Amino acid sequence: MLHYIVKRVLEVIPTLFLVTLFVFLFVRLIPGDPARMVAGEDASAQQIETIREQLGLNKPILTQYADYVGGLLHGDLGTSLKTKRPVSFEVGQRYWKTMTLALVSLAWSCIVGVLIGIWSGRNKSKWQDYTGMTLAVSGISLPSFWIGFIVIIIFSVNFKILPTTGASSWKSLVLPAFTLGTGIAAIIARFTRSSILEVMKEDYIRTARAKGLKEKHVVWTHAFRNAMIPVVTVAGLQFGHLLGGSVVVESVFAYPGLGSLLLDSINYRDYPTIQSLILIFSLHFILINLIVDILYAVLNPEIQLS
């Protein structure tokens, strides 16, 4: 197991290098001049050029990239062009709000998705199966911003029981977490159903039934663990999508997380903040993939041999 973990960690290093390169080049492709944004609309050409020199934007692109990577190796994410404060400070203020939103969304979507998937899989071609899969297809099909507007109208405007914006209390998490997790719950439900149906065809399931075990015992004791292997992979990858999807949901609910910070930074052409946030989102994907691979190997040790 240790050899497998070390091998997977070493494989992450070239991926990290490519991510920093793509993030750096992608941000440079965004239209607009950050020096002009900092200088203001009425600034002269000389003032803009002075600011461009102060920000290092007049250096060759390779030198800028080398400075960027050098800063990252020293834990320096740069200084925000908009607030003039360290990007790490700006990110730190909002990071845990987005992580809390993503974790709450993932938690309820995993529980509900797995239960609906097992419920559907155990009752294949019955009304329970059709109901569960109809809910799943609806959850996948509906865009998150539309779900957000609907729940705001129902729970905030009509019933007035939950706030529409901000992050002042746990109540502020309910609607954004529901909106963000709906699509993930639907995807997990479909994967769980398919996985349960596959596992229930295995010989050891027939053997368990032949021994006279109750169906509930067969499902939860013998089928559940093996059926969860692909579901764990999907849930892990969807966590990365949750962080990316938070950009839209945080905008709908005016939630002060990394997503809303990214949109503000793009509008201001705040290069250091944009590339830091994209890098953070990408790092989450890489780390989640790494954790999922290790969990996968724990659930099925034969993977290490392959």
Side-chain angles (χ1 to χ4, degrees):
M1 175 63 75
L2 182 61
H3 174 74
Y4 177 77
I5 293 174
V6 171
K7 179 184 173 186
R8 287 291 294 114
V9 170
L10 291 177
E11 287 174 354
V12 165
I13 295 174
T15 307
L16 284 175
F17 170 75
L18 288 175
V19 166
T20 59
L21 181 62
F22 287 135
V23 167
F24 178 82
L25 294 177
F26 169 76
V27 171
R28 264 62 187 174
L29 292 176
I30 297 176
D33 185 357
R36 174 170 286 282
M37 295 291 291
V38 173
E41 291 294 329
D42 300 326
S44 64
Q46 180 60 40
Q47 289 172 317
I48 295 172
E49 190 58 34
T50 302
I51 290 176
R52 184 175 287 111
E53 186 175 347
Q54 290 173 349
L55 298 177
L57 299 174
N58 59 341
K59 296 179 181 177
I61 196 75
L62 287 177
T63 306
Q64 291 184 46
Y65 178 68
D67 292 342
Y68 168 62
V69 174
L72 289 178
L73 293 175
H74 290 87
D76 181 12
L77 297 177
T79 302
S80 169
L81 302 183
K82 182 179 181 182
T83 64
K84 314 296 187 225
R85 291 184 295 202
V87 173
S88 56
F89 176 79
E90 299 291 339
V91 171
Q93 283 192 316
R94 299 179 182 231
Y95 181 82
W96 289 112
K97 285 186 169 56
T98 294
M99 284 301 292
T100 302
L101 175 61
L103 288 172
V104 172
S105 303
L106 185 67
W108 85 258
S109 61
C110 281
I111 293 170
V112 172
V114 167
L115 290 177
I116 290 177
I118 292 176
W119 187 53
S120 298
R122 286 185 60 190
N123 299 281
K124 184 184 176 185
S125 301
K126 297 180 181 176
W127 70 267
Q128 296 95 329
D129 188 17
Y130 296 131
T131 303
M133 289 304 99
T134 300
L135 290 173
V137 171
S138 301
I140 294 172
S141 306
L142 297 174
S144 58
F145 67 86
W146 186 84
I147 296 173
F149 289 137
I150 293 299
V151 295
I152 285 174
I153 292 172
I154 295 174
F155 295 102
S156 300
V157 177
N158 291 336
F159 293 108
K160 301 184 186 306
I161 55 177
L162 292 170
T164 56
T165 60
S168 56
S169 68
W170 65 268
K171 288 184 177 179
S172 305
L173 269 177
V174 176
L175 295 184
F178 176 80
T179 304
L180 194 57
T182 299
I184 309 300
I187 293 171
I188 291 175
R190 288 178 61 85
F191 267 88
T192 303
R193 176 186 179 275
S194 300
S195 188
I196 281 288
L197 289 177
E198 285 296 320
V199 170
M200 295 300 279
K201 297 175 185 173
E202 298 291 334
D203 291 340
Y204 63 88
I205 297 296
R206 281 194 288 271
T207 303
R209 284 172 171 163
K211 289 179 179 176
L213 297 177
K214 292 182 178 179
E215 187 66 13
K216 185 183 295 184
H217 185 79
V218 171
V219 171
W220 291 104
T221 304
H222 296 273
F224 181 73
R225 176 171 174 171
N226 288 324
M228 285 302 100
I229 292 175
V231 177
V232 167
T233 306
V234 172
L237 295 176
Q238 292 304 317
F239 185 70
H241 287 293
L242 279 175
L243 295 172
S246 67
V247 175
V248 175
V249 174
E250 288 181 8
S251 299
V252 172
F253 292 94
Y255 189 82
L258 295 180
S260 55
L261 177 62
L262 178 60
L263 286 180
D264 291 341
S265 303
I266 291 174
N267 288 331
Y268 196 79
R269 310 294 189 273
D270 190 348
Y271 280 5
T273 306
I274 296 171
Q275 57 194 25
S276 296
L277 288 172
I278 297 176
L279 182 63
I280 288 170
F281 286 138
S282 303
L283 282 176
H284 280 113
F285 260 109
I286 294 171
L287 289 175
I288 289 163
N289 269 313
L290 180 63
I291 293 170
V292 166
D293 283 350
I294 293 171
L295 282 177
Y296 210 88
V298 171
L299 289 171
N300 186 2
E302 291 181 3
I303 290 173
Q304 299 172 54
L305 299 176
S306 62

